[in-house]
Amino acid sequence: MTQIKDMKDIVALCKRRGFIFAASDIYGGINGFWDFGPLGTELKNNLRDRWWKDMVLCPPIGPDGTPVEIVGVDSAIIQNPKCWEASGHVGGFNDPMVDCKESKKRYRADHLIVYLPKSYDPEMDGALLFPCFDKDETPEDVEKRLKKLNLRSDISQYEVISFVDIKTWAYTNPNDDYGISHPKNYCEQYKIDELVRIPDSHKILRDRIIGPDTKTVGTLGEPRMFNMMFHSYAGAAAGEENKVYLRPETCAGIFLNFKNVVDSSRVKVPFGIAQIGKAFRNEVTPRNFIFRSREFEQMELEWFCEEKDVPMWFDFWVEQRKRFWESVGVPLNKLHFLDVPKEELAHYSSRTIDFEYQFPFSGEGYDELEGIAHRGNFDLTQHQEFSKTKLEYMDPQDPKNRYLPHVIEPSSGLTRGVLALLSEAYTVDDSRPSGVYMNFTPEMAPKKAAILPLTAKDDHVPLAQKLYLELREEFVVDLDIKQNIGKRYARQDEIGTPYCFTIDNDTINDQTVTVRERNTMAQERIHMDKVKEFLHEKMRAGASALKKAA
Ligand code: GAP
């Protein structure tokens, strides 16, 4: 039976047990920013380290039977601003947003939908109200709010249209990505041609729309394009000439260093450059816990290959990435692979497959976890042109053959990956005192084992300390001394520790300890000297079972 997981419960556990906190919690938080607590940091590092191992330290075996070649970089977050002009971010990294003057909230205009009564006739029904909702709102919540607004609550009576499709302003530019219409003076100022007059019948719409968080009509402003890059000023003067940007994706630092890496190491096409690090996007509506935040981490590989080999490498990386997610505890049946329709592709991509996961807030649907894109040689071409530096790769077999390699990019969110692990691991179990346990794989679990002296007195504690000092050299382990043993098991269940070793009177007599397994709660006794080997074996067994499954 599929278990219904509530995001609120997961968020509460994350705070209660120290996985993730709101940034600036004591000041009431700051929208779109999160801090990782002691356990969240371990979990994130485990996912990060595993990605780095699979990509850089121990990369996969390629189609020719030899390991592929990948090196890592760690580039600056702030780069020369020309880099973002070349990449298209200064001109094009925009989202349409709309402000509500009553709730003071800002929304992604393309995430808002308006409910129009099916019987609506623009010429006749000038007094009707048009409630507006976030596209992710559940039908139950929509109905509840319709009732509160004293409107017909049967949603089958409504037609749903996107907010940006409602042409409510006087003029519109037909070439606008989002079909956003602008007031006349805006169009004149920005010299937008081909203005289209909006039919008068549509003008009533704007004034009749009720924003998502208000009860009154006409509080939503005009949609405006909004650049998502955070900016600052480097140096003492805060002028345009010193304006710099926080990177919105980590891959740019890879492209900027393509030539440096080729010149300084022995890599030959095909090869990859990997990077893990922070990225920043001034998201209009950060939401769903760490799913869409304004500061987050990415794990990106840029795989440089010849154009003719693109289809082979694209398929290769899709398969590798499936294995990765499965092996860290995200089963394939929870993923959906979306071949992104041509009209929705990013400007640089001719093909992208999105790996989507069914997060607790996704309902019946899925939300993006990773994208694998064919970026062509867009980035190297742009940077070559803007920097006036030759970035062509020289074929070592044929120095006359110089070219800009094509790129396959598996790009995933590290923080979003952590959310997938947390969501997947969260397991309700009413039969145990904690009521829930976190079913992390042993490799991802923040703590691999807990050492629990049965009582805080007698000789249990020194023996527990001895075992702890031995184990911590090789594993991340917890020594937990106080409280009754049931409460301590409950705590370890909630933080997802796969094994607990309990020291009791028998340990003093025969040096055996009780091992409790998290998922089954089964207990067995083993000799203290065998604990390290036991843990190694369990970690190995977990890894090889997953390898076989792949
Ligand atoms: N270099 C390509 C690129 O950045 P993207 O689809 O914009 O592509 C890649 O981002 C991944 O980064 C996404 O699949 C997602 O996991 C993560 N990501 C993007 N925006 C994010 C945000 N605001 N918060 C958390 N993760 C985000």
Side-chain angles (χ1 to χ4, degrees):
M1 198 182 81
T2 321
Q3 184 199 157
I4 313 264
K5 301 183 191 190
D6 192 329
M7 205 55 216
K8 279 196 227 84
D9 297 333
I10 296 174
V11 175
L13 182 139
C14 282
K15 175 155 191 188
R16 187 167 71 245
R17 290 304 182 191
F19 282 92
I20 297 164
F21 310 118
S24 307
D25 207 4
I26 57 170
Y27 288 100
I30 167 165
N31 197 9
F33 297 88
W34 299 92
D35 290 342
F36 282 73
L39 295 176
T41 305
E42 293 298 334
L43 179 63
K44 178 155 68 70
N45 288 352
N46 290 343
L47 187 60
R48 177 200 68 187
D49 293 349
R50 176 59 194 288
W51 189 93
W52 194 255
K53 181 171 173 219
D54 280 16
M55 289 297 187
V56 181
L57 307 180
C58 199
I61 307 296
D64 67 355
T66 60
V68 301
E69 193 174 21
I70 302 178
V71 293
V73 294
D74 186 1
S75 68
I77 284 172
I78 292 176
Q79 299 282 353
N80 187 313
K82 281 204 188 115
C83 151
W84 308 115
E85 283 171 35
S87 66
H89 285 91
V90 169
F93 196 52
N94 296 319
D95 270 344
M97 55 145 212
V98 58
D99 288 326
C100 174
K101 59 182 180 229
E102 189 175 308
S103 69
K104 305 284 179 245
K105 288 196 174 167
R106 176 168 285 179
Y107 307 94
R108 276 277 294 269
D110 55 335
H111 286 186
L112 294 184
I113 49 175
V114 178
Y115 276 57
L116 294 184
K118 277 186 181 156
S119 56
Y120 166 66
D121 175 350
E123 303 297 335
M124 307 291 291
D125 297 334
L128 278 179
L129 306 177
F130 307 111
C132 177
F133 295 87
D134 186 283
K135 69 178 175 47
D136 291 337
E137 203 100 46
T138 63
E140 295 77 40
D141 286 345
V142 170
E143 284 183 1
K144 250 192 247 163
R145 188 159 161 256
L146 288 171
K147 264 193 204 143
K148 270 198 192 151
L149 292 168
N150 284 329
L151 297 172
R152 256 182 271 170
S153 63
D154 176 2
I155 57 173
S156 66
Q157 302 282 315
Y158 292 86
E159 181 192 345
V160 166
I161 55 171
S162 168
F163 183 81
V164 291
D165 286 343
I166 301 179
K167 308 283 193 273
T168 56
W169 284 270
Y171 295 91
T172 191
N173 171 12
N175 301 323
D176 229 337
D177 275 356
Y178 293 93
I180 290 174
S181 35
H182 306 286
K184 191 161 181 276
N185 61 357
Y186 174 95
C187 300
E188 281 167 2
Q189 184 186 346
Y190 291 100
K191 302 199 173 27
I192 297 173
D193 308 326
E194 296 186 72
L195 300 180
V196 175
R197 184 104 175 87
I198 299 300
D200 283 348
S201 58
H202 277 204
K203 281 193 193 163
I204 54 164
L205 285 175
R206 173 171 60 160
D207 302 334
R208 311 306 314 158
I209 291 175
I210 307 176
D213 296 286
T214 59
K215 289 187 187 144
T216 37
V217 291
T219 61
L220 292 179
E222 292 174 29
R224 284 181 290 139
M225 290 314 241
F226 169 73
N227 192 292
M228 289 165 69
M229 276 196 297
F230 280 101
H231 67 262
S232 184
Y233 300 95
E240 272 306 294
E241 64 287 3
N242 291 335
K243 193 168 176 183
V244 290
Y245 299 93
L246 302 192
R247 67 181 175 202
E249 51 182 8
T250 54
C251 61
I254 294 180
F255 296 120
L256 297 186
N257 282 297
F258 173 76
K259 185 173 158 45
N260 283 337
V261 170
V262 170
D263 291 349
S264 62
S265 53
R266 297 163 71 95
V267 289
K268 287 199 205 80
V269 169
F271 74 94
I273 306 180
Q275 169 152 239
I276 299 177
K278 293 260 184 181
F280 303 82
R281 295 183 190 178
N282 199 359
E283 298 280 0
V284 178
T285 48
R287 60 170 53 222
N288 289 327
F289 198 28
I290 56 171
F291 177 79
R292 190 186 306 129
S293 41
R294 289 177 168 149
E295 175 176 344
F296 55 98
E297 280 177 78
Q298 289 186 313
M299 309 186 285
E300 299 203 293
L301 167 71
E302 306 304 316
W303 178 254
F304 299 95
C305 63
E306 288 187 55
E307 185 176 3
K308 68 177 173 46
D309 296 331
V310 162
M312 173 185 79
W313 287 117
F314 195 94
D315 292 347
F316 175 81
W317 282 112
V318 169
E319 274 320 300
Q320 293 302 322
R321 300 305 301 144
K322 281 184 185 174
R323 285 188 196 189
F324 173 84
W325 286 113
E326 198 177 27
S327 70
V328 294
V330 180
L332 290 187
N333 64 7
K334 287 296 209 55
L335 290 175
H336 174 251
F337 305 99
L338 173 76
D339 217 325
V340 178
K342 286 265 173 295
E343 60 281 7
E344 286 172 31
L345 290 170
H347 60 283
Y348 51 73
S349 172
S350 54
R351 186 178 178 200
T352 297
I353 290 197
D354 278 349
F355 283 29
E356 300 177 315
Y357 173 71
Q358 198 162 53
F359 289 94
F361 49 79
S362 307
E364 296 292 298
Y366 296 84
D367 285 286
E368 183 185 332
L369 173 63
E370 166 159 357
I372 301 183
H374 172 211
R375 293 181 77 114
N377 54 16
F378 169 82
D379 303 270
L380 292 180
T381 306
Q382 289 291 101
H383 290 305
Q384 177 165 275
E385 193 185 318
F386 277 69
S387 67
K388 313 257 178 302
T389 307
K390 278 253 170 273
L391 297 178
E392 285 171 338
Y393 174 79
M394 187 187 76
D395 183 344
Q397 311 297 332
D398 175 9
K400 274 191 255 131
N401 182 17
R402 288 165 191 262
Y403 61 98
L404 293 174
H406 272 234
V407 169
I408 313 288
E409 176 195 65
S411 165
S412 54
L414 171 56
T415 27
R416 219 174 258 191
V418 167
L419 185 57
L421 296 191
L422 287 165
S423 308
E424 198 51 40
Y426 189 89
T427 312
V428 175
D429 178 358
D430 295 329
S431 74
R432 59 179 82 204
S434 56
V436 66
Y437 67 98
M438 294 301 275
N439 185 14
F440 296 121
T441 65
E443 188 193 3
M444 289 300 115
K447 305 273 178 183
K448 311 301 173 204
I451 297 127
L452 313 174
L454 189 61
T455 62
K457 35 189 174 25
D458 303 331
D459 297 328
H460 300 168
V461 174
L463 277 172
Q465 271 162 342
K466 179 172 170 278
L467 185 60
Y468 167 71
L469 289 175
E470 261 174 52
L471 291 183
R472 69 170 200 172
E473 296 288 329
E474 286 164 57
F475 304 98
V476 179
V477 288
D478 208 12
L479 173 65
D480 193 1
I481 297 177
K482 297 227 168 81
Q483 275 189 329
N484 77 46
I485 192 75
K487 283 202 175 135
R488 280 181 285 162
Y489 281 150
R491 176 175 176 272
Q492 296 300 336
D493 282 351
E494 270 204 311
I495 69 176
T497 308
Y499 302 101
C500 288
F501 299 104
T502 308
I503 302 334
D504 54 21
N505 286 339
D506 287 345
T507 316
I508 298 163
N509 299 329
D510 62 8
Q511 282 78 52
T512 62
V513 296
T514 303
V515 192
R516 175 185 180 273
E517 204 269 338
R518 177 195 64 206
N519 290 11
T520 60
M521 295 187 279
Q523 301 197 358
E524 60 173 309
R525 284 198 84 85
I526 62 169
H527 198 278
M528 256 180 106
D529 292 348
K530 297 271 185 251
V531 168
K532 206 182 257 185
E533 197 184 310
F534 172 93
L535 270 182
H536 273 302
E537 205 171 287
K538 293 291 181 191
M539 301 291 149
R540 269 198 306 271
S544 68
L546 289 163
K547 258 197 188 133
K548 260 187 221 144

